[in-house]
Amino acid sequence: MFRKKGKLFAIIAVIILAALYYYVTIPAINIHASGFWVFLLAVMILILLIYGSRRIRSVSEIRQNKVLKIGVGAVLLVIVVYAAGSVLSSPIINANKYQKLIEPETSSFTDDIKQVSYNQIPLLDKDSAELLGNRKMGSMVDMVSQFEVSSLYSQINYKGRPVRVTPLVYASPIKWLTNMRQGIPAYITIDMATQNTELVKLDKGMRYSESEYFNRNIYRHLRFKYPTYIFDQLSFEIDEDGVPYWICPVKKFNIGLFGGQTIGRVVLCNAVTGECTDYKVEDCPTWVDRVYPADLLIQLYDYHGTLKNGFFNSILGQKGCLQTTEGYNYLAIDDDVWVYTGVTSVSGDRSNVGFVLMNQRTKETKYYEIPGAEEYSAMESAEGQVQNLGYQATFPLLLNIADEPTYFIALKDNAGLVKKYAMLNIQKYQNVAIGDTVSACEKTYIKMIKGSSAVIADENTKSITGKIKRMAQGVIDGNTHFYLVLDNREDLIFDVPITDFLGIVKYEEGDTITISYNEGTPACTVITLTGEAGDAEGSVETGEGGEEADGTGDIS
């Protein structure tokens, strides 16, 4: 009787301890999860310890007990299988498979990356966004004592604009206890272009988050709904209606037990209701931006660049091996967020052979063969221009400025506030343009790379078509300028320097032309000029040294 009760107690103890271990560590019940093998070993060892404590009285009895022998053998077998699976899944044996986990497409920079307007350029990095978020939270006297701002700050593309979004979290376990019924009442959005920071209050609070405890903790909530799924980094996003979601990518292992990780599925969890929707990666809604974590994409490209000639070549000879540079940034293209980073040789030189863009939703990867300065070299060059002010450069953002691949860098003071902006041509990074505003910086940069006579379009640029009513010429600083008046806007005078528009000499009064211009006094600055000169069609645009150029200075 007592023996049966003791056996029952032992079984109950094992079940309770295993359940507690599972509830705390929440491993996926999946042979591809390392945590599952640790959990399995822990349960097996626990059973052996409890069994041995009741049956074994001396060391000599261990060798004679068949149950213990079988148990110890099973433990060793699990360890051997785990170790063998790790080795057989590694790049040492599967270099070719790892190298093909991502397949970059060589593409054209100017075709893929269009010139963007100022209000679409993310001017802030994550550190600056955190300062703005904390400052906004500090002004909310009704919440600041109960909640803090999460450090997530996911960068997303929200309604066509680069935005960082982050939830609030409970300030302490006590604050969780007093506020858990209502949930987390708001999240913060920061427009990375305008620096506008907004605390968005919800009609119903978020009841599922990383700062929750017990079953409402987002990781435990997901585990009980999907016990076999192995989740990667979770990110916080909002849909186009501002509804908060947790984006939960599910790992997929393509090589052996533990190797070749990509993403196979994605679970979207409503942060307010806890409702979950499971998608295949290819079926994921387009408003979702962060399915593939940036670190995973960087790792996949490093496999592609270093293992092309085998594993041992990546360690020893390193012939033809390429790797990503340290650090990365984000670009918003066609309603998706792409990870940008440079590509350099493994030799450790300070130059790039090109750069890659990797789509965080689809894993699509594009390689651009543009040699130039490594990002940190560009940052040092920008800091050198303002060394007397002690400003620090943020990690560069890759932009298309006048069809030139350009590093755009924000310069921050010791307080972390953005004070100036810098632009550097990737291939000619010694020349740095500095400006107090993005517009001023761009104008300086364009004139630096296109010549002092380059004229730049901006948000105030206008266009007009009409016939030349009057035409005169004059000389300013030794350069000839033509001055035009059109029949439909006689109140405006258009200044056309012959050094930029050599083709203007073919035009006469009565010819029809189209002019893009920036309005000014006493004359408007002409940026592009097209039309019919006499009987022949002509087209002249801003250029260098009196030569006609195709679109120079035509900045969106």
Side-chain angles (χ1 to χ4, degrees):
M1 182 70 177
F2 290 108
R3 186 174 294 178
K4 289 183 178 179
K5 286 185 177 180
K7 187 180 294 185
L8 180 62
F9 175 78
I11 293 173
I12 293 174
V14 169
I15 293 174
I16 292 175
L17 290 174
L20 286 173
Y21 180 88
Y22 179 81
Y23 189 81
V24 172
T25 61
I26 52 175
I29 308 302
N30 190 314
I31 61 171
H32 296 291
S34 298
F36 169 74
W37 290 86
V38 175
F39 173 69
L40 182 62
L41 281 172
V43 171
M44 293 174 67
I45 292 172
L46 178 63
I47 292 173
L48 289 176
L49 288 174
I50 293 177
Y51 176 84
S53 66
R54 297 182 63 251
R55 294 297 184 92
I56 304 302
R57 297 291 179 268
S58 65
V59 178
S60 60
E61 292 184 29
I62 298 177
R63 299 177 182 177
Q64 299 174 359
N65 192 294
K66 291 183 178 180
V67 175
L68 282 180
K69 285 183 178 180
I70 293 172
V72 172
V75 170
L76 292 176
L77 179 62
V78 170
I79 293 174
V80 169
V81 171
Y82 179 81
S86 299
V87 173
L88 295 175
S89 305
S90 68
I92 299 175
I93 297 175
N94 303 283
N96 187 51
K97 293 180 180 179
Y98 273 87
Q99 200 265 340
K100 293 180 179 178
L101 286 173
I102 198 169
E103 297 184 1
E105 170 193 355
T106 301
S107 194
S108 167
F109 173 80
T110 54
D111 289 343
D112 291 349
I113 304 177
K114 304 303 181 184
Q115 299 173 110
V116 297
S117 59
Y118 301 145
N119 62 359
Q120 292 179 309
I121 299 175
L123 307 179
L124 305 174
D125 59 3
K126 184 179 179 181
D127 291 339
S128 299
E130 287 183 353
L131 288 174
L132 293 177
N134 291 333
R135 186 181 301 167
K136 184 67 175 181
M137 190 64 200
S139 66
M140 308 302 295
V141 294
D142 58 330
M143 294 185 187
V144 70
S145 64
Q146 303 296 309
F147 300 95
E148 297 175 349
V149 185
S150 169
S151 61
L152 286 176
Y153 287 94
S154 304
Q155 182 161 324
I156 62 174
N157 198 20
Y158 180 57
K159 295 183 178 180
R161 301 185 65 82
V163 170
R164 283 194 183 266
V165 59
T166 192
L168 304 186
V169 296
Y170 299 106
S172 69
I174 299 299
K175 303 300 173 60
W176 165 77
L177 194 62
T178 57
N179 291 280
M180 60 175 291
R181 289 182 180 274
Q182 294 77 29
I184 297 173
Y187 58 82
I188 288 178
T189 62
I190 301 173
D191 190 309
M192 302 297 284
T194 65
Q195 305 186 33
N196 180 50
T197 305
E198 182 180 1
L199 188 139
V200 181
K201 294 184 178 181
L202 300 166
D203 295 332
K204 293 183 178 180
M206 292 181 282
R207 299 168 62 85
Y208 298 87
S209 71
E210 294 179 322
S211 65
E212 290 283 354
Y213 295 88
F214 304 110
N215 288 9
R216 274 168 44 180
N217 178 275
I218 182 61
Y219 297 101
R220 194 164 287 112
H221 177 68
L222 291 169
R223 174 57 61 235
F224 292 154
K225 278 187 171 293
Y226 305 97
T228 62
Y229 281 9
I230 308 170
F231 291 100
D232 207 318
Q233 298 175 19
L234 272 57
S235 63
F236 181 81
E237 294 192 31
I238 54 177
D239 67 10
E240 295 302 303
D241 296 321
V243 178
Y245 280 87
W246 291 100
I247 311 302
C248 317
V250 181
K251 295 181 181 180
K252 176 184 177 182
F253 293 89
N254 302 277
I255 304 170
L257 278 179
F258 311 115
Q261 181 206 327
T262 55
I263 302 298
R265 309 187 68 85
V266 59
V267 174
L268 308 188
C269 178
N270 187 306
V272 176
T273 66
E275 180 183 357
C276 294
T277 309
D278 184 12
Y279 295 96
K280 292 181 179 179
V281 166
E282 55 270 23
D283 298 329
C284 182
T286 55
W287 64 263
V288 175
D289 291 315
R290 296 169 65 90
V291 174
Y292 283 84
D295 292 337
L296 174 60
L297 292 173
I298 296 295
Q299 183 184 58
L300 292 178
Y301 190 85
D302 283 340
Y303 285 144
H304 176 82
T306 58
L307 298 176
K308 60 180 63 178
N309 293 314
F311 175 79
F312 291 104
N313 176 71
S314 69
I315 302 298
L316 302 175
Q318 298 183 328
K319 181 179 179 181
C321 290
L322 299 174
Q323 65 183 5
T324 56
T325 55
E326 182 182 353
Y328 54 83
N329 214 328
Y330 301 98
L331 286 178
I333 303 175
D334 298 332
D335 201 32
D336 278 327
V337 174
W338 296 66
V339 176
Y340 149 76
T341 187
V343 177
T344 186
S345 66
V346 297
S347 61
D349 59 23
R350 305 203 64 183
S351 61
N352 289 348
V353 298
F355 58 88
V356 288
L357 292 179
M358 296 170 282
N359 191 309
Q360 286 199 277
R361 183 172 60 86
T362 65
K363 199 184 70 170
E364 180 184 1
T365 302
K366 296 185 177 183
Y367 173 74
Y368 303 91
E369 190 174 345
I370 300 178
E374 183 257 350
E375 291 90 339
Y376 283 92
S377 297
M379 291 166 64
E380 291 174 2
S381 184
E383 288 174 349
Q385 295 295 310
V386 291
Q387 59 183 341
N388 59 312
L389 300 173
Y391 293 163
Q392 294 182 334
T394 61
F395 193 84
L397 186 69
L398 182 70
L399 297 180
N400 179 349
I401 304 295
D403 287 337
E404 292 283 346
T406 301
Y407 284 138
F408 173 78
I409 297 173
L411 296 164
K412 302 189 298 184
D413 62 13
N414 292 331
L417 302 176
V418 176
K419 294 298 185 181
K420 289 182 179 292
Y421 303 96
M423 289 184 181
L424 305 82
N425 188 280
I426 288 179
Q427 295 170 308
K428 303 173 184 177
Y429 71 99
Q430 296 89 350
N431 297 327
V432 185
I434 302 291
D436 293 329
T437 65
V438 180
S439 176
C441 182
E442 184 186 46
K443 289 179 179 179
T444 303
Y445 175 73
I446 293 292
K447 291 183 178 181
M448 182 180 293
I449 63 174
K450 297 297 184 182
S452 60
S453 61
V455 184
I456 305 166
D458 57 28
E459 60 272 16
N460 298 316
T461 298
K462 300 177 182 179
S463 181
I464 187 173
T465 300
K467 290 186 178 181
I468 300 175
K469 185 173 183 179
R470 288 191 295 277
M471 190 174 187
Q473 68 181 75
V475 177
I476 300 178
D477 295 331
N479 296 316
T480 300
H481 290 242
F482 281 80
Y483 296 94
L484 312 181
V485 175
L486 303 185
D487 60 348
N488 53 348
R489 282 300 301 270
E490 296 187 37
D491 58 316
L492 296 180
I493 299 174
F494 298 97
D495 180 5
V496 185
I498 196 172
T499 53
D500 297 336
F501 301 94
L502 181 59
I504 190 63
V505 298
K506 298 184 294 182
Y507 287 78
E508 299 176 351
E509 293 179 0
D511 289 340
T512 300
I513 60 171
T514 297
I515 293 175
S516 293
Y517 65 96
N518 289 337
E519 195 166 319
T521 303
C524 299
T525 302
V526 174
I527 298 170
T528 63
L529 187 153
T530 60
E532 296 183 1
D535 295 331
E537 292 187 359
S539 176
V540 290
E541 299 186 357
T542 306
E544 299 179 44
E547 297 181 359
E548 295 178 359
D550 184 13
T552 302
D554 189 5
I555 310 297
S556 299

